Amino acid sequence: MTSTRLPGKVLLPFGNQSVLETMFLRLKDFQKNIIVATTNDNTEAPIVDVCQKNGIQFYRGDTENVLGRYYEAATHFGAAKNDIVVRLTSDCPFIDPTLLDKALSLFENNQYDMVSLGPHSGFPRGLDTCVFNYELLEQTHLKATHKADREHVTLGMTKFQDLNVMNISAGEDHSHYRITLDEPDDYKMLQSLFDYFNFNTQFSYEDLIQALTTQPEISSINQHVEQKTA
């Protein structure tokens, strides 16, 4: 709720619901596993209301110390050493459940410490998914002291131990497309893209890429927006 560039962005109207609720709908098969790690700075009441309305678990934690908030949320809900934690960010309403399934399968069936899917692998900015276990989250929480490492959950994870990381590749470079929500033009673009899909939340990654590549009047709306660096 305290975003400096687009305040209250996750609860902006989006189709027939809010941005955050659109993400819930995209992740409907994972609903019982979702925990919204919100803040405790007295701005979170509308987010808590949305969670309660949709039957989603939530945890209130420090606004700036996002790593600590993640750790406390996982601990509060009983996470154990080898339990899987998935980091998703709530300004990505078009998160892809099939790609999430792929990331989970790779993590569960191999000896990776982390499975990651992000724009550096060729995916559009806004599908970011990171899978790791609770033990890694806990160790990072206990050791990270740098401000940036506390503000970004996974940023410091490789500082304290060698990790076997699997980065899922998109196979093509679509990283210049933005389907994340940081600035007003991102919101305008996402609204136009959602309208293109007739506000249907259940579309595939292939449908998404087809829309981005064949509808330049939509995908170009926010091409000038630069991603905020850590």
Side-chain angles (χ1 to χ4, degrees):
M1 297 300 289
T2 57
S3 169
T4 55
R5 289 181 287 174
L6 192 59
K9 61 182 180 179
V10 301
L11 293 187
L12 289 172
F14 201 56
N16 298 316
Q17 59 281 320
S18 65
V19 169
L20 183 57
E21 287 171 302
T22 301
M23 196 169 180
F24 293 160
L25 290 170
R26 291 280 291 167
L27 299 172
K28 61 184 177 64
D29 292 340
F30 300 91
Q31 178 165 335
K32 66 182 178 64
N33 300 106
I34 296 173
I35 300 166
V36 172
T38 189
T39 61
N40 60 4
D41 54 16
N42 297 317
T43 68
E44 76 279 0
I47 290 179
V48 169
D49 289 344
V50 167
C51 290
Q52 291 175 329
K53 170 188 168 187
N54 290 276
I56 300 294
Q57 301 176 108
F58 62 90
Y59 178 84
R60 297 180 179 93
D62 189 273
T63 304
E64 303 299 329
N65 183 7
V66 187
L67 173 60
R69 195 196 318 166
Y70 255 69
Y71 168 72
E72 291 170 5
T75 303
H76 176 80
F77 285 97
K81 178 180 176 179
N82 292 317
D83 284 343
I84 295 172
V85 178
V86 181
R87 176 183 175 270
L88 305 173
T89 57
S90 56
D91 53 7
C92 299
F94 292 155
I95 197 74
D96 191 276
T98 301
L99 291 173
L100 171 53
D101 252 340
K102 179 178 181 178
L104 283 167
S105 179
L106 283 167
F107 188 85
E108 291 173 324
N109 294 302
N110 296 277
Q111 298 301 310
Y112 298 123
D113 298 305
M114 179 188 295
V115 175
S116 180
L117 181 157
H120 298 299
S121 299
F123 289 97
R125 169 74 65 175
L127 297 175
D128 302 29
T129 302
C130 194
V131 184
F132 43 89
N133 65 26
Y134 173 75
E135 182 180 27
L136 178 57
L137 176 63
E138 181 177 49
Q139 290 302 309
T140 308
H141 165 69
L142 293 174
K143 294 177 181 178
T145 57
H146 194 279
K147 182 180 178 182
D149 294 338
R150 306 302 307 184
E151 290 178 353
H152 302 274
V153 178
T154 60
L155 189 64
M157 285 186 169
T158 57
K159 288 185 176 181
F160 309 110
Q161 58 186 297
D162 294 330
L163 298 180
N164 183 13
V165 178
M166 169 63 182
N167 290 306
I168 299 175
S169 171
E172 301 176 82
D173 187 8
H174 297 299
S175 59
H176 54 290
Y177 294 120
R178 286 181 58 86
I179 54 169
T180 190
L181 182 59
D182 283 320
E183 297 196 0
D185 280 346
D186 290 329
Y187 183 45
K188 186 184 300 183
M189 183 273 187
L190 287 170
Q191 285 182 305
S192 297
L193 185 58
F194 206 13
D195 180 67
Y196 174 81
F197 287 120
N198 296 314
F199 304 111
N200 176 10
T201 60
Q202 303 306 309
F203 55 85
S204 69
Y205 177 70
E206 291 73 23
D207 294 333
L208 174 67
I209 295 302
Q210 190 272 338
L212 291 171
T213 54
T214 63
Q215 306 298 316
E217 70 280 5
I218 296 176
S219 58
S220 64
I221 292 173
N222 64 344
Q223 278 188 342
H224 63 284
V225 177
E226 294 186 9
Q227 186 68 20
K228 187 177 180 181
T229 56

